Amino acid sequence: MCLTKMANSSQKIVYKLVLTGGPCGGKTTGQSRLSTFFENLGWKVFRVPETATVLLSGGIKFVDLSPDEAMKFQENLLKTMIQIENTFFELGRTCQRNCLIICDRGAMDASAFISKEKWEAMLNANNWNSVELRDNRYNHIVHMVSAANGAEDFYSTEEHACRSEGVELARELDYNAAAAWIGHPYFDVIDNSTDFDKKMNRLLACVCQRVGLDTGDRLNVNSKKRKFLVKPPLLPDAEFPPFQDFDVVHNYLQSDVRKAQVRLRKRGQKGHWSYIHTVRKFHPTNGQSVEVRTQLTHRDYLNMLPQRDDAHFTIFKKRRCFIYNNQYYQLDIYRQPTHPRCRGLVLLETYSGMYDQDALLASLPKFLTIEKEVTGDPAYSMYNLSLKEDWKTSTKYYSGSEGQTKCMNGHSTEKANGHIRNGHTEKVNGHDAKANGHGAKVIGHTYSKISSIGGDRNGYHKENGFGHINGDVTDADYNMKNTKARSPKIHKKDAVKV
């Protein structure tokens, strides 16, 4: 199958992807990143739920089953999985757009939990075969290596109702899950040899490469989020390359957790919405932040809305996503009603590995008027932009210093994005904001773990430390402790590490 040819042709693509791996490997966060990324490109994305989690959440305890019961359970699980997947595959077939179908585990994962003999007996009893279940059913398999294998400090089972494995068992399950898929023609392993954000970028780059999408250097492992202030008015739509527009609504929620930012986001087109719950928590000693993002149902979203923090305005944006010179961009256009400081505010975001400032500015879209780069500037964090209080007197303004909010009236020095600002007044979108942190260390070297509702539980994310998360897919400069991964022992010809 020539996927590059498929992506570059006019033929509609239905791409069936399996995300597999051991516990705490990044599958949930990976699904969210992939969904948002491909939706921004105009694709339809379906997410097939993990069948085992659906069944086990009903009270089944696999360890309590007898060998015969375990085999029958796996057989029924596989039958259920196939039927659920077929429903989504049929929807993809009839969809008018390019379609990405992300399966949270796939048919061969069942073989990792029973003996080879029982697996073969199950296949024979149901007239199944491994070639159809493994090679022909899915376009691509990506194995997300468990944090228990190379990132042990970040392995966690907290608040995950169906996860109780210790580190050693998690490693064994991780290896078995990888071994189950060996032989698939498009099988990639994403290990823990980099920090978590780069791990997610490697996942995105791997899938895009297989599909045949050119993403420029946005997904390069050395790429970092860059943010620019754009001067309105914008040129007419006809002057833009092909784009997708989304309505985005952010609400910050009240939080009982000290030094935590919690928010809801809904994002949609033509009245159809997706919902995300984000918890961003700051490390108590070094100010670095960790984040967990969770996909919500419409009902969950409505149930959480009453928890809105009255100290913040609701943020309304139009988000325009487009590709210019093989580089992927997001243009956030702030809308009313909001604080006067946001009126006319337009911010451009991208990922780039380009370190030459002049070269970077020269590469930006020519049809936009770029005023300046504001990467890491707390005055352009969404958290601060949404505050109802005046920044000069606010005790909630987040300066990026040690994970704390700072009042803007002092006279200390703040180090942000490599530059020193000595308490001078700075014009931000036509309004004065006095910046004055306390020698803030922006990029730190210590990390933390958190968990949240229904989240991935990887919990080893880390952001720039400026209290803003404007990107669709947690576009920030995370840093996880680099540890040499002990990846599954898979022959090089069978798995490609990206």
Side-chain angles (χ1 to χ4, degrees):
M1 180 190 331
C2 183
L3 297 175
T4 301
K5 182 178 180 180
M6 286 173 59
N8 294 329
S9 70
S10 58
Q11 181 182 358
K12 187 194 76 173
I13 303 170
V14 178
Y15 195 73
K16 303 168 187 176
L17 170 70
V18 171
L19 285 187
T20 185
C24 196
K27 294 192 302 297
T28 303
T29 300
Q31 286 184 56
S32 179
R33 294 280 190 102
L34 284 164
S35 295
T36 302
F37 186 89
F38 277 84
E39 286 171 353
N40 285 346
L41 297 178
W43 287 50
K44 178 64 179 177
V45 179
F46 292 117
R47 294 168 53 156
V48 183
E50 183 179 15
T51 308
T53 297
V54 174
L55 297 180
L56 292 174
S57 63
I60 299 172
K61 292 186 178 181
F62 194 74
V63 294
D64 294 339
L65 302 179
S66 68
D68 289 337
E69 289 174 331
M71 181 178 175
K72 183 55 77 172
F73 174 79
Q74 292 293 353
E75 182 177 6
N76 286 321
L77 183 153
L78 187 50
K79 290 178 179 178
T80 305
M81 178 189 295
I82 290 172
Q83 185 57 53
I84 293 174
E85 287 179 351
N86 286 345
T87 301
F88 285 92
F89 293 172
E90 180 63 18
L91 288 171
R93 188 186 67 80
T94 59
C95 181
Q96 299 303 306
R97 291 185 281 165
N98 288 334
C99 184
L100 173 65
I101 303 174
I102 307 172
C103 301
D104 191 344
R105 300 193 183 277
M108 294 301 294
D109 282 286
S111 68
F113 296 91
I114 59 177
S115 68
K116 182 178 179 180
E117 293 75 17
K118 290 184 177 179
W119 172 252
E120 293 295 336
M122 183 193 303
L123 295 183
N124 293 332
N126 291 277
N127 198 28
W128 294 328
N129 67 81
S130 293
V131 172
E132 288 298 322
L133 292 180
R134 182 194 61 220
D135 301 343
N136 296 336
R137 188 168 180 81
Y138 312 98
N139 298 107
H140 187 191
I141 312 300
V142 177
H143 178 89
M144 306 294 290
V145 176
S146 169
N149 194 351
E152 291 82 356
D153 290 348
F154 305 102
Y155 179 75
S156 173
T157 61
E158 294 176 351
E159 296 185 30
H160 196 294
C162 298
R163 180 182 297 160
S164 59
E165 303 88 355
V167 171
E168 292 299 324
L169 177 57
R171 288 175 184 162
E172 181 181 351
L173 293 175
D174 185 82
Y175 175 78
N176 291 342
W181 291 99
I182 291 177
H184 191 281
Y186 302 100
F187 177 37
D188 294 297
V189 176
I190 310 294
D191 65 11
N192 297 305
S193 58
T194 61
D195 64 55
F196 186 78
D197 191 55
K198 289 178 180 177
K199 183 178 184 179
M200 293 297 103
N201 270 2
R202 287 156 58 211
L203 168 63
L204 289 172
C206 173
V207 176
C208 288
Q209 182 184 32
R210 293 293 194 188
V211 174
L213 295 176
D214 188 352
T215 58
D217 71 348
R218 183 190 187 279
L219 300 177
N220 186 289
V221 294
N222 294 317
S223 293
K224 297 186 183 299
K225 177 190 172 185
R226 309 295 285 268
K227 184 187 294 188
F228 303 88
L229 180 63
V230 177
K231 183 178 180 179
L234 300 177
L235 293 178
D237 291 353
E239 300 297 323
F240 280 75
F243 60 83
Q244 291 285 327
D245 280 348
F246 298 86
D247 295 314
V248 183
V249 181
H250 291 278
N251 280 287
Y252 281 92
L253 305 184
Q254 301 172 34
S255 173
D256 295 331
V257 182
R258 184 171 177 265
K259 297 180 182 178
Q261 295 175 5
V262 184
R263 77 168 187 263
L264 292 179
R265 186 199 79 189
K266 74 172 184 177
R267 172 181 175 276
Q269 292 177 306
K270 300 178 181 179
H272 301 284
W273 300 92
S274 62
Y275 307 92
I276 292 287
H277 175 274
T278 301
V279 177
R280 185 170 183 241
K281 185 178 179 182
F282 301 99
H283 194 280
T285 58
N286 65 16
Q288 300 310 313
S289 61
V290 292
E291 182 175 289
V292 169
R293 303 173 67 106
T294 305
Q295 192 95 3
L296 299 177
T297 65
H298 177 61
R299 177 178 294 180
D300 290 335
Y301 177 82
L302 293 179
N303 288 339
M304 290 183 180
L305 267 182
Q307 302 172 31
R308 280 176 289 199
D309 189 342
D310 291 336
H312 292 265
F313 286 105
T314 298
I315 290 287
F316 298 90
K317 303 182 205 174
K318 178 170 78 172
R319 174 162 290 160
R320 175 161 294 184
C321 305
F322 60 91
I323 293 177
Y324 177 80
N325 286 344
N326 292 325
Q327 188 74 10
Y328 179 74
Y329 292 94
Q330 291 181 166
L331 190 69
D332 278 347
I333 305 164
Y334 281 70
R335 290 176 159 177
Q336 296 299 310
T338 188
H339 194 283
R341 68 172 71 97
C342 296
R343 289 176 184 165
L345 180 62
V346 181
L347 296 174
L348 178 71
E349 297 179 4
T350 189
Y351 261 81
S352 178
M354 197 177 298
Y355 293 101
D356 186 305
Q357 182 74 5
D358 292 337
L360 175 62
L361 291 174
S363 70
L364 296 177
K366 305 301 182 186
F367 50 85
L368 298 176
T369 302
I370 307 297
E371 291 197 37
K372 61 178 178 178
E373 181 172 8
V374 294
T375 303
D377 190 334
Y380 293 93
S381 79
M382 190 171 63
Y383 180 89
N384 290 336
L385 289 169
S386 67
L387 282 173
K388 293 183 178 180
E389 295 179 352
D390 190 314
W391 286 351
K392 297 178 182 178
T393 57
S394 174
T395 59
K396 294 180 176 295
Y397 183 98
Y398 177 64
S399 69
S401 176
E402 298 180 353
Q404 300 179 16
T405 54
K406 296 290 184 182
C407 179
M408 298 301 292
N409 284 330
H411 303 284
S412 300
T413 299
E414 179 186 9
K415 185 173 184 181
N417 199 30
H419 300 281
I420 304 294
R421 295 184 295 173
N422 292 311
H424 63 277
T425 301
E426 184 173 289
K427 283 280 184 179
V428 180
N429 200 32
H431 299 272
D432 292 337
K434 183 165 284 189
N436 66 10
H438 298 276
K441 177 176 282 188
V442 176
I443 305 297
H445 302 280
T446 311
Y447 310 90
S448 177
K449 296 186 295 182
I450 64 172
S451 59
S452 180
I453 58 165
D456 188 4
R457 321 305 169 198
N458 304 295
Y460 48 97
H461 312 282
K462 172 261 177 190
E463 280 206 81
N464 250 354
F466 293 102
H468 64 281
I469 321 164
N470 278 347
D472 269 341
V473 280
T474 315
D475 287 336
D477 178 26
Y478 300 86
N479 260 319
M480 188 191 83
K481 181 190 298 180
N482 276 327
T483 53
K484 185 172 180 61
R486 292 188 292 273
S487 300
K489 298 178 181 178
I490 302 170
H491 198 279
K492 290 182 179 179
K493 72 176 182 179
D494 294 319
V496 179
K497 186 175 74 174
V498 298

